[in-house]
């Protein structure tokens, strides 16, 4: 039961592209827990989907901000808009963003181009640091904050076809630890949710994704795939005081699949 747990708190969520996005599940859960939220989307192509999501939430005054995270000026503007809407404060930042060219998610990792590598690192890993930095003055007004990002087991182990995205996730997870070490003294916690596979627009870009879902369902300790709402409820936990002693952590929400040695 999370109703009211986050009442009076403010969150900013990046990465809603579609109702299937993990960011959408997180938005629904934070909304149910009483948090006031703002949503960032990459381009106007997503605006209709974002508006549809807002229609399913309990709050109607949801600030919507267009922001391409590879552009510092757009990041600065996005936080200015949300800071204004939320009275200069923020309690939670959700980073649910990743990108790699489709050709870098199949075949051999050794074939990755310099341009593809830098693009993926910029959007999938560096953007966490850029967004967190911009959120800091708003967190300070709140007396602290909780930052969370989404990662995947392919950042810890070699998973076929995940390739470049695995390398970006490794950088992302290490960024979580360095940011946590830097910002703990400001009462800002930084954590990652390592989600099991979920069929979303991005996931479809990974070659053989259906096979990854099947393997997890057959082999994970819980013998099933995860529900997006389980990522959402973990986000509520991380945004709340229930997780006040946790920072620099990668929490696996994957039906236990990561413990297996096979
Ligand atoms: P998704 O719905 O496609 O979300 C990915 C988001 O990243 C989209 O909103 C996308 O916007 C956004 N994005 C890409 N480039 C951007 C940019 N330059 N600026 C701003 N936003 C940008 O897929 P998802 O599966 O929910 O992915 C969310 C996060 O969960 C990712 O970090 C992903 O790696 C992680 N994750 C997913 C799974 C899974 O199985 N689905 C498992 C573990 C972790 P556009 O659509 O406009 O490009």
């Amino acid at each position: 039961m999370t109703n009211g747990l986050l009442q009076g708190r403010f969150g900013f969520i990046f990465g809603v592209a579609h109702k299937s996005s993990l960011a959408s599940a997180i938005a629904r859960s934070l909304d149910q827990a009483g948090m006031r939220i703002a949503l960032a989307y990459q381009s106007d192509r997503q605006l209709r989907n974002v508006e549809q999501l807002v229609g399913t939430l309990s709050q109607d005054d949801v600030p919507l901000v267009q922001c391409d995270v590879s552009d510092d000026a757009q990041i600065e503007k996005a936080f200015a808009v949300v800071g204004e809407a939320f009275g200069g404060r923020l309690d939670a930042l959700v980073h649910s963003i990743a990108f790699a060219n489709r050709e870098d998610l199949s075949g051999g990792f050794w074939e990755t181009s310099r341009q593809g590598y830098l693009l993926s690192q910029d959007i999938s890993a560096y953007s966490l640091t850029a967004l967190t930095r911009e959120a800091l003055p708003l967190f300070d007004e709140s007396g602290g904050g909780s930052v969370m990002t989404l990662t995947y087991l392919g950042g810890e182990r070699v998973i076929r076809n995940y390739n470049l995205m695995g390398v970006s996730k490794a950088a992302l997870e290490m960024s979580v630890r360095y940011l946590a070490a830097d910002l703990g003294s400001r009462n800002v916690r930084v954590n990652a949710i390592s989600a099991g596979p979920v069929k979303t627009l991005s996931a479809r870009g990974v070659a053989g994704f259906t096979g990854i879902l099947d393997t997890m369902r057959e082999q994970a300790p819980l013998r099933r795939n995860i529900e997006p709402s389980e990522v959402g409820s973990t986000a509520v936990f991380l945004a709340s005081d229930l997780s006040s002693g946790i920072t620099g952590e990668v929490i696996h929400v994957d039906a236990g699949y990561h413990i297996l040695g096979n």
Side-chain angles (χ1 to χ4, degrees), residues 5-6 9-11 26 30 33 35 91-94 145-148 189 191 193 232-244:
L5 186 63
L6 301 176
R9 302 216 180 163
F10 298 89
I26 291 171
L30 294 179
M35 178 173 263
D91 302 283
L93 169 65
V94 178
S146 172
V147 178
M148 64 197 88
R189 299 183 292 110
N191 293 290
I193 299 171
S233 47
T234 305
V236 171
F237 168 69
L238 285 175
S240 80
D241 292 341
L242 294 174
S243 60
S244 57

Side-chain angles (χ1 to χ4, degrees), residues 27-213:
R28 283 189 284 270
S29 296
L30 294 179
D31 173 64
Q32 279 163 21
M35 178 173 263
R36 274 213 60 198
I37 57 172
L39 302 174
Y41 55 94
Q42 187 193 178
S43 76
D44 286 336
R45 269 186 306 124
Q46 283 78 35
L47 184 56
R48 246 189 61 167
N49 290 342
V50 176
E51 286 172 343
Q52 275 174 3
L53 169 69
V54 171
T56 68
L57 303 178
S58 69
Q59 49 195 300
D60 35 43
D61 187 16
V62 177
L64 304 180
V65 195
Q66 187 265 320
C67 180
D68 181 330
V69 298
S70 61
D71 182 339
D72 287 330
Q74 290 190 33
I75 293 176
E76 202 179 312
K77 196 168 150 214
F79 278 90
V81 169
V82 168
E84 175 83 19
F86 288 167
R89 55 172 291 198
L90 190 69
D91 302 283
L93 169 65
V94 178
H95 173 278
S96 186
I97 285 173
F99 183 78
N101 290 322
R102 192 172 263 262
E103 65 265 27
D104 291 325
L105 298 173
S106 64
F109 170 71
W110 62 273
E111 293 176 296
T112 306
S113 68
R114 184 188 301 270
Q115 181 270 340
Y117 185 97
L118 294 176
L119 181 66
S120 178
Q121 286 283 341
D122 184 17
I123 295 173
S124 313
Y126 176 72
S127 62
L128 177 71
T129 300
L131 296 183
T132 301
R133 187 166 54 240
E134 211 58 41
L136 283 177
L138 304 178
F139 285 153
D140 284 344
E141 275 305 305
S142 288
S146 172
V147 178
M148 64 197 88
T149 185
L150 273 295
T151 187
Y152 178 60
L153 189 59
E156 299 171 57
R157 309 210 198 126
V158 173
I159 292 188
R160 197 146 66 90
N161 294 327
Y162 202 62
N163 296 6
L164 174 57
M165 190 52 73
V167 175
S168 297
K169 291 302 191 194
L172 179 73
E173 291 179 21
M174 213 54 221
S175 303
V176 163
R177 298 184 185 102
Y178 276 95
L179 289 169
D182 283 350
L183 303 177
S185 59
R186 292 167 83 158
N187 196 29
V188 174
R189 299 183 292 110
V190 186
N191 293 290
I193 299 171
S194 186
V198 174
K199 207 170 240 174
T200 62
L201 297 179
S202 294
R204 283 169 218 259
V206 180
F209 182 75
T210 308
I212 294 178
L213 275 173

